[in-house]
C-alpha cells in the first residue's frame, strides 16, 4: 500500500494548523483584536513556558520527585542573583557555580 499521498496530506494539514492561527493576527490586523483580559493573561505565557521547561529538570531526578537537590539550590542562587543584580551573566555564573560546587561536595562526601 502506498502512503505517500497520505503522508503529504498530513504534512500539509499540520502546516496549515500551525500557520493559520499565527497568520490570522497578521492578516486581520486590528479587526481581530483580543479581549483585554486575554491580552493580560498572555503576558505571562513566556514565563509560564520557561517554568514548564525548567521545573522538571529542577524537581525530578531519576524519575522521582526530589525537593532537596543541588539543582534546586543552583536555581535559587540564579534567581537571587537575577533579582539582586542587573548583570545578565551573573545568574548563569552563580547558578553554575553553586551546582558544580554542591555536586563536587556531595561526590566527595558520598565517596
Amino acid at each position: 500500500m502506498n502512503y505517500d499521498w497520505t503522508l503529504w496530506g498530513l504534512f500539509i494539514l499540520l502546516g496549515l494548523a500551525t500557520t493559520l492561527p499565527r497568520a490570522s493576527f497578521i492578516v486581520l490586523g486590528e479587526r481581530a483584536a483580543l479581549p483585554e483580559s486575554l491580552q493580560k493573561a498572555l503576558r505571562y505565557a513566556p514565563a509560564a513556558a520557561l517554568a514548564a521547561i525548567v521545573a522538571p529538570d529542577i524537581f525530578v531526578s531519576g524519575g522521582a520527585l526530589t525537593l532537596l537537590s543541588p539543582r534546586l539550590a543552583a536555581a535559587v542562587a540564579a534567581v537571587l542573583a537575577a533579582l539582586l543584580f542587573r548583570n545578565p551573566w551573573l545568574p548563569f555564573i552563580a547558578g553554575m557555580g553553586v551546582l558544580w560546587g554542591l555536586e563536587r561536595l556531595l561526590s566527595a562526601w558520598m565517596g
Side-chain angles (χ1 to χ4, degrees):
M1 195 172 211
N2 191 354
Y3 292 104
D4 285 345
W5 289 109
T6 306
L7 188 61
W8 279 106
L10 185 63
F11 287 156
I12 291 169
L13 285 174
L14 287 173
L16 289 173
T18 59
T19 304
L20 288 178
R22 296 174 187 177
S24 65
F25 293 104
I26 297 170
V27 172
L28 296 176
E30 291 295 321
R31 294 176 288 186
L34 294 174
E36 185 67 28
S37 59
L38 184 58
Q39 287 180 1
K40 285 182 181 178
L42 285 175
R43 290 183 190 142
Y44 298 103
L50 182 61
I53 292 169
V54 172
D57 281 336
I58 294 173
F59 294 110
V60 177
S61 179
L65 182 67
T66 55
L67 296 179
L68 296 174
S69 69
R71 291 178 181 179
L72 179 59
V76 169
V79 168
L80 285 175
L83 291 175
L84 295 176
F85 305 101
R86 301 199 58 88
N87 185 338
W89 290 103
L90 195 57
F92 295 108
I93 295 168
M96 290 307 294
V98 168
L99 179 66
W100 287 341
L102 285 176
E103 284 181 346
R104 281 220 165 163
L105 282 173
L106 287 175
S107 68
W109 185 57
M110 298 297 270

Short mmCIF file of all heavy atoms in Angstrom, two decimals, residues 37-82:
data_model
loop_
_atom_site.label_atom_id
_atom_site.label_comp_id
_atom_site.label_asym_id
_atom_site.label_seq_id
_atom_site.Cartn_x
_atom_site.Cartn_y
_atom_site.Cartn_z
N SER A 37 -8.68 41.11 28.79
CA SER A 37 -8.35 40.11 29.80
C SER A 37 -7.44 39.02 29.22
O SER A 37 -6.53 38.53 29.89
CB SER A 37 -9.62 39.49 30.37
OG SER A 37 -10.37 38.88 29.34
N LEU A 38 -7.67 38.65 27.97
CA LEU A 38 -6.82 37.64 27.33
C LEU A 38 -5.43 38.21 27.05
O LEU A 38 -4.43 37.51 27.20
CB LEU A 38 -7.46 37.13 26.04
CG LEU A 38 -6.74 36.02 25.31
CD1 LEU A 38 -6.56 34.81 26.22
CD2 LEU A 38 -7.49 35.64 24.06
N GLN A 39 -5.35 39.49 26.66
CA GLN A 39 -4.06 40.11 26.44
C GLN A 39 -3.25 40.16 27.74
O GLN A 39 -2.04 39.92 27.73
CB GLN A 39 -4.23 41.52 25.89
CG GLN A 39 -4.68 41.54 24.44
CD GLN A 39 -4.84 42.96 23.92
OE1 GLN A 39 -4.59 43.93 24.61
NE2 GLN A 39 -5.27 43.07 22.67
N LYS A 40 -3.92 40.45 28.87
CA LYS A 40 -3.21 40.46 30.15
C LYS A 40 -2.71 39.06 30.51
O LYS A 40 -1.61 38.90 31.01
CB LYS A 40 -4.14 40.97 31.25
CG LYS A 40 -4.35 42.46 31.22
CD LYS A 40 -5.23 42.89 32.37
CE LYS A 40 -5.48 44.38 32.34
NZ LYS A 40 -6.38 44.81 33.42
N ALA A 41 -3.54 38.06 30.25
CA ALA A 41 -3.15 36.68 30.56
C ALA A 41 -1.98 36.23 29.68
O ALA A 41 -1.09 35.50 30.14
CB ALA A 41 -4.33 35.75 30.39
N LEU A 42 -1.96 36.64 28.43
CA LEU A 42 -0.89 36.22 27.51
C LEU A 42 0.45 36.85 27.85
O LEU A 42 1.49 36.36 27.39
CB LEU A 42 -1.29 36.55 26.07
CG LEU A 42 -2.34 35.64 25.46
CD1 LEU A 42 -2.73 36.14 24.07
CD2 LEU A 42 -1.87 34.21 25.39
N ARG A 43 0.48 37.88 28.66
CA ARG A 43 1.75 38.48 29.07
C ARG A 43 2.57 37.50 29.92
O ARG A 43 3.79 37.61 30.00
CB ARG A 43 1.50 39.76 29.85
CG ARG A 43 0.99 40.88 28.99
CD ARG A 43 0.83 42.15 29.77
NE ARG A 43 0.11 43.12 28.94
CZ ARG A 43 -0.79 43.96 29.38
NH1 ARG A 43 -1.07 44.00 30.67
NH2 ARG A 43 -1.39 44.80 28.56
N TYR A 44 1.89 36.57 30.57
CA TYR A 44 2.58 35.60 31.42
C TYR A 44 2.94 34.32 30.67
O TYR A 44 3.56 33.43 31.25
CB TYR A 44 1.70 35.25 32.63
CG TYR A 44 1.42 36.45 33.49
CD1 TYR A 44 0.20 37.10 33.45
CD2 TYR A 44 2.40 36.94 34.34
CE1 TYR A 44 -0.05 38.21 34.24
CE2 TYR A 44 2.16 38.06 35.14
CZ TYR A 44 0.93 38.68 35.07
OH TYR A 44 0.69 39.78 35.85
N ALA A 45 2.59 34.21 29.42
CA ALA A 45 2.85 32.98 28.65
C ALA A 45 4.34 32.65 28.53
O ALA A 45 4.72 31.49 28.74
CB ALA A 45 2.19 33.06 27.28
N PRO A 46 5.22 33.61 28.22
CA PRO A 46 6.65 33.24 28.13
C PRO A 46 7.22 32.74 29.46
O PRO A 46 7.96 31.75 29.48
CB PRO A 46 7.33 34.55 27.69
CG PRO A 46 6.27 35.33 27.02
CD PRO A 46 5.00 34.99 27.75
N ALA A 47 6.87 33.38 30.56
CA ALA A 47 7.37 32.94 31.85
C ALA A 47 6.80 31.56 32.21
O ALA A 47 7.51 30.71 32.76
CB ALA A 47 7.01 33.95 32.93
N ALA A 48 5.54 31.33 31.88
CA ALA A 48 4.94 30.02 32.16
C ALA A 48 5.57 28.93 31.31
O ALA A 48 5.81 27.82 31.80
CB ALA A 48 3.43 30.08 31.91
N ALA A 49 5.87 29.24 30.06
CA ALA A 49 6.51 28.25 29.19
C ALA A 49 7.92 27.93 29.69
O ALA A 49 8.32 26.76 29.71
CB ALA A 49 6.56 28.77 27.75
N LEU A 50 8.65 28.95 30.10
CA LEU A 50 10.00 28.72 30.62
C LEU A 50 9.94 27.89 31.91
O LEU A 50 10.74 26.96 32.10
CB LEU A 50 10.70 30.04 30.88
CG LEU A 50 12.13 29.95 31.39
CD1 LEU A 50 13.02 29.24 30.38
CD2 LEU A 50 12.67 31.33 31.70
N ALA A 51 9.00 28.20 32.78
CA ALA A 51 8.86 27.43 34.02
C ALA A 51 8.49 25.98 33.72
O ALA A 51 8.98 25.06 34.39
CB ALA A 51 7.80 28.07 34.91
N ALA A 52 7.64 25.75 32.73
CA ALA A 52 7.26 24.38 32.38
C ALA A 52 8.43 23.59 31.81
O ALA A 52 8.49 22.37 31.96
CB ALA A 52 6.11 24.41 31.37
N ILE A 53 9.36 24.27 31.17
CA ILE A 53 10.53 23.59 30.62
C ILE A 53 11.57 23.32 31.71
O ILE A 53 12.17 22.25 31.76
CB ILE A 53 11.15 24.43 29.48
CG1 ILE A 53 10.20 24.48 28.29
CG2 ILE A 53 12.51 23.89 29.07
CD1 ILE A 53 10.60 25.48 27.23
N VAL A 54 11.77 24.28 32.60
CA VAL A 54 12.84 24.20 33.59
C VAL A 54 12.45 23.40 34.83
O VAL A 54 13.27 22.67 35.39
CB VAL A 54 13.30 25.62 33.98
CG1 VAL A 54 14.28 25.60 35.13
CG2 VAL A 54 13.91 26.32 32.78
N ALA A 55 11.21 23.51 35.29
CA ALA A 55 10.79 22.89 36.55
C ALA A 55 11.04 21.38 36.62
O ALA A 55 11.53 20.90 37.65
CB ALA A 55 9.33 23.21 36.84
N PRO A 56 10.76 20.60 35.58
CA PRO A 56 11.04 19.17 35.70
C PRO A 56 12.52 18.86 35.90
O PRO A 56 12.87 17.93 36.62
CB PRO A 56 10.54 18.59 34.37
CG PRO A 56 9.51 19.54 33.91
CD PRO A 56 9.99 20.90 34.37
N ASP A 57 13.40 19.65 35.28
CA ASP A 57 14.84 19.42 35.48
C ASP A 57 15.28 19.77 36.89
O ASP A 57 16.27 19.22 37.39
CB ASP A 57 15.65 20.25 34.49
CG ASP A 57 15.69 19.62 33.11
OD1 ASP A 57 15.50 18.39 33.04
OD2 ASP A 57 15.91 20.34 32.13
N ILE A 58 14.58 20.67 37.54
CA ILE A 58 14.95 21.07 38.89
C ILE A 58 14.40 20.10 39.93
O ILE A 58 15.10 19.72 40.87
CB ILE A 58 14.46 22.51 39.18
CG1 ILE A 58 15.20 23.50 38.29
CG2 ILE A 58 14.65 22.87 40.65
CD1 ILE A 58 14.67 24.91 38.38
N PHE A 59 13.15 19.70 39.77
CA PHE A 59 12.46 18.95 40.83
C PHE A 59 12.40 17.44 40.62
O PHE A 59 11.98 16.73 41.51
CB PHE A 59 11.04 19.47 41.00
CG PHE A 59 10.98 20.88 41.51
CD1 PHE A 59 10.57 21.91 40.69
CD2 PHE A 59 11.37 21.17 42.80
CE1 PHE A 59 10.52 23.20 41.17
CE2 PHE A 59 11.32 22.45 43.29
CZ PHE A 59 10.90 23.48 42.46
N VAL A 60 12.79 16.94 39.44
CA VAL A 60 12.72 15.50 39.18
C VAL A 60 14.13 14.98 38.90
O VAL A 60 14.84 15.51 38.06
CB VAL A 60 11.79 15.19 37.99
CG1 VAL A 60 11.78 13.70 37.69
CG2 VAL A 60 10.38 15.68 38.28
N SER A 61 14.50 13.93 39.62
CA SER A 61 15.81 13.31 39.43
C SER A 61 15.64 11.80 39.44
O SER A 61 15.14 11.24 40.42
CB SER A 61 16.77 13.75 40.53
OG SER A 61 18.02 13.14 40.36
N GLY A 62 16.02 11.14 38.37
CA GLY A 62 15.88 9.70 38.28
C GLY A 62 14.44 9.23 38.28
O GLY A 62 14.15 8.14 38.74
N GLY A 63 13.54 10.06 37.80
CA GLY A 63 12.13 9.70 37.73
C GLY A 63 11.37 9.91 39.03
O GLY A 63 10.18 9.62 39.09
N ALA A 64 12.02 10.43 40.05
CA ALA A 64 11.36 10.66 41.33
C ALA A 64 11.44 12.14 41.70
O ALA A 64 12.40 12.83 41.36
CB ALA A 64 12.01 9.83 42.42
N LEU A 65 10.44 12.60 42.40
CA LEU A 65 10.40 13.98 42.87
C LEU A 65 11.42 14.17 43.99
O LEU A 65 11.42 13.44 44.98
CB LEU A 65 8.99 14.31 43.37
CG LEU A 65 8.76 15.73 43.86
CD1 LEU A 65 8.86 16.69 42.68
CD2 LEU A 65 7.40 15.84 44.50
N THR A 66 12.31 15.16 43.81
CA THR A 66 13.30 15.47 44.83
C THR A 66 13.20 16.95 45.16
O THR A 66 13.34 17.80 44.29
CB THR A 66 14.73 15.16 44.35
OG1 THR A 66 14.96 15.85 43.12
CG2 THR A 66 14.94 13.69 44.15
N LEU A 67 12.94 17.24 46.42
CA LEU A 67 12.77 18.63 46.82
C LEU A 67 14.07 19.27 47.30
O LEU A 67 14.17 20.48 47.32
CB LEU A 67 11.70 18.72 47.91
CG LEU A 67 10.30 18.32 47.46
CD1 LEU A 67 9.32 18.42 48.61
CD2 LEU A 67 9.83 19.16 46.29
N LEU A 68 15.05 18.46 47.68
CA LEU A 68 16.35 18.99 48.08
C LEU A 68 17.41 18.41 47.16
O LEU A 68 17.72 17.23 47.22
CB LEU A 68 16.66 18.62 49.54
CG LEU A 68 15.72 19.22 50.58
CD1 LEU A 68 16.04 18.67 51.96
CD2 LEU A 68 15.83 20.73 50.57
N SER A 69 17.95 19.26 46.31
CA SER A 69 18.96 18.79 45.36
C SER A 69 19.89 19.95 45.00
O SER A 69 19.55 21.12 45.21
CB SER A 69 18.29 18.25 44.10
OG SER A 69 17.71 19.31 43.38
N PRO A 70 21.06 19.65 44.47
CA PRO A 70 21.95 20.71 44.01
C PRO A 70 21.31 21.57 42.91
O PRO A 70 21.57 22.77 42.82
CB PRO A 70 23.17 19.96 43.47
CG PRO A 70 23.15 18.65 44.17
CD PRO A 70 21.71 18.33 44.39
N ARG A 71 20.45 20.97 42.09
CA ARG A 71 19.79 21.73 41.04
C ARG A 71 18.87 22.79 41.61
O ARG A 71 18.80 23.91 41.09
CB ARG A 71 19.01 20.79 40.13
CG ARG A 71 19.88 19.89 39.30
CD ARG A 71 19.03 18.98 38.48
NE ARG A 71 19.85 18.08 37.69
CZ ARG A 71 19.36 17.17 36.90
NH1 ARG A 71 18.05 17.00 36.80
NH2 ARG A 71 20.16 16.38 36.21
N LEU A 72 18.14 22.45 42.65
CA LEU A 72 17.25 23.43 43.27
C LEU A 72 18.06 24.55 43.91
O LEU A 72 17.70 25.72 43.78
CB LEU A 72 16.36 22.75 44.32
CG LEU A 72 15.39 23.68 45.05
CD1 LEU A 72 14.44 24.36 44.07
CD2 LEU A 72 14.60 22.90 46.09
N ALA A 73 19.14 24.21 44.58
CA ALA A 73 19.99 25.24 45.19
C ALA A 73 20.58 26.15 44.11
O ALA A 73 20.66 27.37 44.29
CB ALA A 73 21.11 24.59 46.00
N ALA A 74 20.98 25.58 42.98
CA ALA A 74 21.52 26.37 41.88
C ALA A 74 20.44 27.28 41.29
O ALA A 74 20.72 28.44 40.96
CB ALA A 74 22.08 25.45 40.81
N ALA A 75 19.22 26.78 41.17
CA ALA A 75 18.14 27.61 40.65
C ALA A 75 17.83 28.76 41.59
O ALA A 75 17.62 29.90 41.15
CB ALA A 75 16.89 26.75 40.43
N VAL A 76 17.85 28.49 42.90
CA VAL A 76 17.61 29.56 43.88
C VAL A 76 18.73 30.60 43.80
O VAL A 76 18.48 31.81 43.83
CB VAL A 76 17.49 28.96 45.30
CG1 VAL A 76 17.52 30.05 46.36
CG2 VAL A 76 16.21 28.15 45.41
N ALA A 77 19.97 30.16 43.67
CA ALA A 77 21.10 31.08 43.56
C ALA A 77 20.98 31.93 42.30
O ALA A 77 21.25 33.14 42.33
CB ALA A 77 22.42 30.31 43.56
N ALA A 78 20.58 31.32 41.19
CA ALA A 78 20.43 32.07 39.94
C ALA A 78 19.31 33.10 40.04
O ALA A 78 19.46 34.25 39.59
CB ALA A 78 20.18 31.11 38.79
N VAL A 79 18.20 32.72 40.64
CA VAL A 79 17.08 33.66 40.79
C VAL A 79 17.47 34.81 41.71
O VAL A 79 17.17 35.97 41.43
CB VAL A 79 15.82 32.92 41.30
CG1 VAL A 79 14.75 33.90 41.73
CG2 VAL A 79 15.28 32.00 40.22
N LEU A 80 18.13 34.51 42.82
CA LEU A 80 18.58 35.57 43.74
C LEU A 80 19.57 36.52 43.06
O LEU A 80 19.49 37.73 43.23
CB LEU A 80 19.20 34.97 44.99
CG LEU A 80 18.22 34.37 45.99
CD1 LEU A 80 18.97 33.70 47.12
CD2 LEU A 80 17.28 35.42 46.51
N ALA A 81 20.49 35.96 42.28
CA ALA A 81 21.45 36.81 41.57
C ALA A 81 20.74 37.69 40.55
O ALA A 81 21.10 38.86 40.37
CB ALA A 81 22.50 35.94 40.88
N ALA A 82 19.71 37.15 39.89
CA ALA A 82 18.96 37.94 38.91
C ALA A 82 18.17 39.04 39.59
O ALA A 82 18.05 40.15 39.05
CB ALA A 82 18.03 37.04 38.11
#
